[in-house]
Amino acid sequence: SVSVTNKMASNVVIHCKSKNDDLGFISPGNSYEWGFRVNLWQTTLFFCGFYTKNGGGVYDIFKADRDINRCPTNTCIWDVQDDAIGQGSLATVRVQITNQMASNVTIHCKSKNDDLGIHVISSGQSYGWGFKVNFWQTTLFFCGFTTEKGRGVYDIYKARRDNLRCLDGNTCFWDVEDDG
């Protein structure tokens, strides 16, 4: 089943559908839950359009090949709030970077809105942070790495790339190793 809760303070229009079913609109402060069976080919898809005075978008709320094993207790729980759409308690994504090198690694991670500062990660240690993916699924964090072997800048979290890659408790794991 799927549960969508409209937690927006302002007016937002939420309209959920599948290929065969139009589930209607969800008004502010209300929830809507529906059950269904995943088809034999596991191509079942439900999507919702979200529209506010600031814009909107359409998002896959249940996609069988992504969510069949991802949603706790067989219910995908989605909250629509002022700064993001997220999967209920899974809405916070974490990134963890572990230094697998023998020497220290200096990192500097940023997004469009956040500068996480410079951090030195000792051998065998980790640095991590959590955040919410934005409504438009354009969240990007990148990090500059400096080691004894060189330096580089890498995209550490890209919402559209990583939303299926980071399934282990909604955490993206990265290792810094001698070869990259």
Side-chain angles (χ1 to χ4, degrees), residues 71-109:
C71 299
T73 66
N74 292 326
T75 300
C76 292
I77 301 169
W78 291 92
D79 293 335
V80 180
Q81 44 204 30
D82 288 329
D83 61 348
I85 174 175
Q87 273 195 302
S89 62
L90 299 179
T92 298
V93 174
R94 291 203 43 80
V95 170
Q96 180 175 312
I97 301 169
T98 302
N99 180 4
Q100 301 291 357
M101 298 179 66
S103 58
N104 289 346
V105 174
T106 301
I107 66 170
H108 188 182
C109 299

Side-chain angles (χ1 to χ4, degrees), residues 97-125:
I97 301 169
T98 302
N99 180 4
Q100 301 291 357
M101 298 179 66
S103 58
N104 289 346
V105 174
T106 301
I107 66 170
H108 188 182
C109 299
K110 297 179 178 186
S111 73
K112 177 181 172 185
N113 301 316
D114 299 296
D115 184 335
L116 304 179
I118 297 171
H119 299 273
V120 177
I121 308 173
S122 301
S123 180
Q125 298 301 304

Side-chain angles (χ1 to χ4, degrees), residues 27-62:
S27 57
N30 289 317
S31 297
Y32 187 68
E33 184 170 336
W34 66 94
F36 53 90
R37 291 183 189 260
V38 174
N39 67 26
L40 179 65
W41 303 274
Q42 294 194 350
T43 58
T44 302
L45 171 67
F46 283 91
F47 54 93
C48 294
F50 302 89
Y51 308 97
T52 71
K53 64 181 180 180
N54 297 324
V58 177
Y59 300 93
D60 294 342
I61 295 300
F62 182 86

Side-chain angles (χ1 to χ4, degrees), residues 137-151:
Q137 299 283 312
T138 58
T139 300
L140 167 68
F141 277 91
F142 56 94
C143 297
F145 292 82
T146 304
T147 72
E148 289 180 346
K149 303 201 179 235
R151 65 179 64 194

